[in-house]
Amino acid sequence: MAVVEKKDFEVTSILKRKHVAWAIVNGIKANVGDRVGGAKVLQITYDKVLLDMGDSRRWVLLSNNSGLKISR
């Protein structure tokens, strides 16, 4: 599955720990299983979020505009 940057979804922050993961997608805090902008959050990694759009799945990368850095 290719990494796709979709313009109408923006990930500005990600917190990923052993048993906890959430992301800020379009300004909304989302966990796996939540819906944001009509898409379901399927997976959260350290630098991207997998969204189910219904007819397709897309990876959205952590935005470079967030001013945040990836920390592991």
Side-chain angles (χ1 to χ4, degrees):
M1 191 174 303
V3 174
V4 175
E5 189 66 37
K6 186 147 174 77
K7 295 295 181 195
D8 55 344
F9 289 99
E10 183 179 32
V11 176
T12 53
S13 184
I14 293 175
L15 173 71
K16 175 98 168 118
R17 300 278 190 238
K18 288 182 181 180
H19 302 290
V20 176
W22 58 260
I24 303 295
V25 182
N26 292 357
I28 300 169
K29 181 180 173 186
N31 298 302
V32 172
D34 290 348
R35 292 198 167 274
V36 177
K40 183 175 181 180
V41 177
L42 296 180
Q43 185 178 351
I44 299 171
T45 70
Y46 289 100
D47 63 347
K48 59 190 175 285
V49 175
L50 180 60
L51 299 176
D52 183 352
M53 319 295 272
D55 59 346
S56 65
R57 292 181 176 181
R58 299 184 189 256
W59 284 104
V60 181
L61 299 173
L62 178 62
S63 172
N64 290 334
N65 299 329
S66 68
L68 302 174
K69 296 183 179 176
I70 297 172
S71 175
R72 295 185 187 197

